[in-house]
Amino acid sequence: MMGDFYEMVYEVVRLIPRGRVTNYGSIARYLGSPQSSRLVGWAMNQSHSKTPPVPAHRVVNRNGELSGRQHFATPVLMEELLKAEGIRVKRNTVVNFKMLFWDPEKELSL
DNA sequence: TAGCTGACGAAAA
DNA sequence: TTTTTCGCCAGCT
């Protein structure tokens, strides 16, 4: 297995509610590896060939920036997908990120 | 084979 | 507050 960690990442990302977003660090922390935030991003890179598809557009960095948009089919796809869910994106950054933020550790622990 | 890089983040200075 | 360094795992040169 190239990593159960990766599959766990995909699973968590798929749990992100529509219209909400989270960041790499929170996912990594939820999985027990706070310092593996990079691996989450790396996992996203492979998410394109996963089934069911992983809503990677709902995952942004801790600043709410669409840092991974370049890895989508088109640089604007990520923003379009987010806008389609009611999330406003301004200059590659999620507006009201703080409000839309979805923390797996918090949301899934309730 | 060894070293560098990458959709990141936290701590240290 | 801003800049720098380290850690994580896999893939590439």
Side-chain angles (χ1 to χ4, degrees):
Chain A
M1 305 69 97
M2 279 183 264
D4 295 325
F5 184 84
Y6 285 48
E7 292 189 21
M8 290 170 77
V9 170
Y10 304 136
E11 200 168 335
V12 174
V13 174
R14 283 190 287 244
L15 291 174
I16 302 174
R18 190 173 182 283
R20 302 292 295 282
V21 294
T22 191
N23 62 39
Y24 305 93
S26 294
I27 295 173
R29 190 181 341 185
Y30 177 71
L31 296 179
S33 300
Q35 301 180 320
S36 299
S37 50
R38 304 181 70 184
L39 285 310
V40 178
W42 196 249
M44 294 292 93
N45 205 323
Q46 306 247 336
S47 65
H48 67 85
S49 57
K50 300 297 174 185
T51 50
V54 180
H57 59 279
R58 294 181 186 151
V59 185
V60 296
N61 65 14
R62 90 171 201 78
N63 288 314
E65 299 170 55
L66 281 53
S67 50
R69 67 185 184 152
Q70 279 295 332
H71 294 264
F72 283 77
T74 64
V76 294
L77 181 59
M78 186 173 184
E79 184 175 331
E80 291 296 315
L81 290 170
L82 290 173
K83 285 163 67 179
E85 297 186 355
I87 299 176
R88 285 180 295 174
V89 178
K90 189 69 175 180
R91 288 165 7 195
N92 307 332
T93 304
V94 175
V95 180
N96 295 332
F97 172 64
K98 192 175 180 181
M99 277 198 311
L100 298 172
F101 180 62
W102 181 83
D103 187 347
E105 270 196 305
K106 180 181 177 183
E107 304 294 333
L108 299 178
S109 295
L110 293 175

